[in-house]
Amino acid sequence: MTIAMTGRISLEQAKSVVEFLELGQQDEANAIIAEIQNPINSELFAEIGKLTRQLHDSLTNFQLDSRLSDLATSDIPDAKERLNFVITRTEEAANKTMDAVEAIFPVVNTMAEQVAAVNPSWTKLMNNELDLSEFKSLCLDIDTLLKNTGKETQHIHSLMTDVLMAQDFQDLTGQVIRKVIDLVREVEESLINMLTAFGISAEPAQEKALPKVGKNLVEGPIINKENRDDVVADQDDVDDLLSSLGF
Amino acid sequence: MKVLVVDDFSTMRRIVKNLLRDLGFTNIQEADDGNTALPMLQGGNFDFVVTDWNMPGMQGIDLLKAIRADASLSHIPVLLITAEAKKEQIVMAAQAGVNGYIVKPFTAATLKTKIEKIFERLA
């Protein structure tokens, strides 16, 4: 705010003030002083008036942006629920997948054991070294193996379908997360509008702000590794760093 | 060999348990942070600890420090499996006496190699 100092006192005005005072005419002297100050006062008042109007408009706009209060009271709590839904669904999917995989492991192990049990006799048979009694026993083992394998492959197939179906979370969580991203974008815009209304620059900060870290510098998964030089890119980087420390 | 797997996410504990079982570890117990892990360790003859870093309650790095500071536990090898990837943190873990550091996401092969290396060194 600048106010032009147009109200400088002139020599004539100063002389008149002195004359009036010498003559004891206090009121006339005061009138000249008031006349000198007047231009300053009127500009100051004009400037204050302008600022008051701006402030009033800003406050009115701010109140008008009722979307902001909807965001705070309804959309954001809703987004929290949505994100919790993502956690629940991904956890369920991980557990369903692991249920199936853990059920497959022993089946595959049993099949591997049965194959291993048959293998020595089979090799002997192929080399014509198997006697009749061994041959009979081998036939029984192979019979068990075939029956078991036939049954278990069906079982594995159905478990693998479970693994496949457990991946359906991706579609649902993807949609939910996209909605939350839209909400974040809207909140960002509202906040920028608010800053603009108060005359604060909403230009993105030039310096890359480092993310907030917790105790022991914890930050969680780094999603922009390529733009960071304070983090390792992969396990090889970890191993190199540790070996440079004499590990 | 008795192993304690410490992670706040039950799915990650389950993954690590499955991988460890594949590597021949059958006696595996679980804890969801350092505060639950430490009394378990003090109570029961564990031979190996696999822990996450970022957990509510006591973090993995603080669990590691607590293990190293306790004369009855200080010999137990500790493997960190974590998404924490700052160089400064890896140095911090090394200085605290970690035996291995695996950054997430990781593979079964990485886990196998690191565990083999840890036990080769201790042998």
Side-chain angles (χ1 to χ4, degrees):
Chain A
M1 180 177 70
T2 56
I3 295 173
M5 296 299 285
T6 50
R8 281 207 183 100
I9 188 166
S10 70
L11 187 59
E12 288 75 25
Q13 287 170 318
K15 279 179 181 165
S16 310
V17 171
V18 174
E19 272 168 34
F20 283 131
L21 288 174
E22 281 173 348
L23 292 168
Q25 292 172 319
Q26 187 65 45
D27 289 347
E28 282 77 0
N30 287 350
I32 292 177
I33 298 289
E35 191 186 303
I36 294 162
Q37 284 178 331
N38 196 35
I40 304 180
N41 286 344
S42 58
E43 283 188 39
L44 188 61
F45 287 140
E47 191 68 29
I48 291 173
K50 210 166 88 190
L51 285 173
T52 310
R53 257 194 317 279
Q54 277 177 3
L55 182 61
H56 176 77
D57 290 349
S58 297
L59 289 174
T60 317
N61 288 340
F62 188 40
Q63 279 160 0
L64 276 178
D65 198 354
S66 64
R67 182 73 192 109
L68 204 62
S69 77
D70 286 350
L71 286 173
T73 55
S74 150
D75 295 47
I76 289 179
D78 179 57
K80 284 193 281 187
E81 263 179 54
R82 287 172 187 276
L83 291 176
N84 276 322
F85 168 83
V86 171
I87 295 178
T88 314
R89 285 306 313 259
T90 48
E91 185 182 345
E92 275 172 11
N95 280 319
K96 265 194 231 166
T97 304
M98 286 189 282
D99 286 344
V101 171
E102 284 174 10
I104 291 172
F105 277 144
V107 177
V108 172
N109 289 346
T110 308
M111 278 163 58
E113 279 164 21
Q114 286 172 345
V115 170
V118 167
N119 231 339
S121 304
W122 182 258
T123 311
K124 272 173 123 179
L125 175 69
M126 295 305 278
N127 295 337
N128 273 331
E129 291 164 359
L130 206 65
D131 64 37
L132 186 61
S133 71
E134 284 175 322
F135 180 72
K136 280 180 179 165
S137 154
L138 175 63
C139 286
L140 288 174
D141 283 350
I142 289 180
D143 188 55
T144 310
L145 175 64
L146 288 177
K147 279 179 185 153
N148 190 46
T149 307
K151 196 179 79 203
E152 295 300 2
T153 44
Q154 270 177 11
H155 186 198
I156 290 173
H157 192 279
S158 113
L159 288 168
M160 287 193 338
T161 307
D162 291 348
V163 172
L164 180 71
M165 293 317 292
Q167 312 312 309
D168 68 348
F169 75 93
Q170 165 61 24
D171 170 40
L172 301 169
T173 57
Q175 290 181 47
V176 168
I177 289 175
R178 203 166 290 139
K179 279 210 168 142
V180 174
I181 292 173
D182 286 343
L183 172 67
V184 170
R185 193 179 300 126
E186 202 184 334
V187 170
E188 184 185 19
E189 277 163 13
S190 287
L191 289 176
I192 288 177
N193 288 341
M194 195 171 101
L195 289 176
T196 315
F198 283 102
I200 301 164
S201 163
E203 287 294 303
Q206 286 305 306
E207 284 170 61
K208 238 175 268 158
L210 280 175
K212 246 171 80 181
V213 295
K215 185 172 178 263
N216 294 321
L217 305 173
V218 292
E219 186 182 325
I222 312 284
I223 46 156
N224 56 343
K225 280 179 182 165
E226 56 287 349
N227 301 329
R228 300 266 303 261
D229 54 11
D230 61 332
V231 300
V232 292
D234 52 25
Q235 187 64 41
D236 285 344
D237 274 6
V238 177
D239 296 346
D240 289 348
L241 177 58
L242 287 175
S243 70
S244 78
L245 295 168
F247 241 71
Chain B
M1 185 172 291
K2 200 168 164 190
V3 187
L4 184 62
V5 175
V6 192
D7 199 305
D8 52 330
F9 278 88
S10 64
T11 45
M12 185 45 72
R13 292 200 298 270
R14 203 170 163 188
I15 292 171
V16 172
K17 266 173 72 174
N18 269 301
L19 293 173
L20 288 174
R21 223 176 276 136
D22 246 9
L23 295 174
F25 297 91
T26 46
N27 191 356
I28 305 169
Q29 295 201 27
E30 299 177 42
D32 59 5
D33 85 326
N35 286 330
T36 35
L38 205 52
M40 287 173 78
L41 288 169
Q42 282 156 345
N45 289 321
F46 281 90
D47 304 292
F48 185 33
V49 175
V50 179
T51 181
D52 184 21
W53 181 318
N54 191 3
M55 296 176 286
M58 192 198 281
Q59 294 184 5
I61 185 76
D62 294 323
L63 174 63
L64 168 64
K65 287 175 185 170
I67 289 172
R68 291 294 172 258
D70 184 327
S72 65
L73 305 177
S74 61
H75 64 280
I76 302 175
V78 176
L79 173 64
L80 267 166
I81 302 182
T82 174
E84 296 302 319
K86 278 197 220 40
K87 292 170 190 167
E88 214 178 324
Q89 290 176 303
I90 297 167
V91 172
M92 197 191 292
Q95 284 167 348
V98 81
N99 298 76
Y101 196 108
I102 293 178
V103 71
K104 289 179 193 167
F106 67 105
T107 64
T110 302
L111 182 67
K112 183 171 189 275
T113 316
K114 298 303 164 198
I115 289 180
E116 281 169 358
K117 213 166 161 190
I118 288 171
F119 288 103
E120 257 168 42
R121 283 201 174 127
L122 291 177

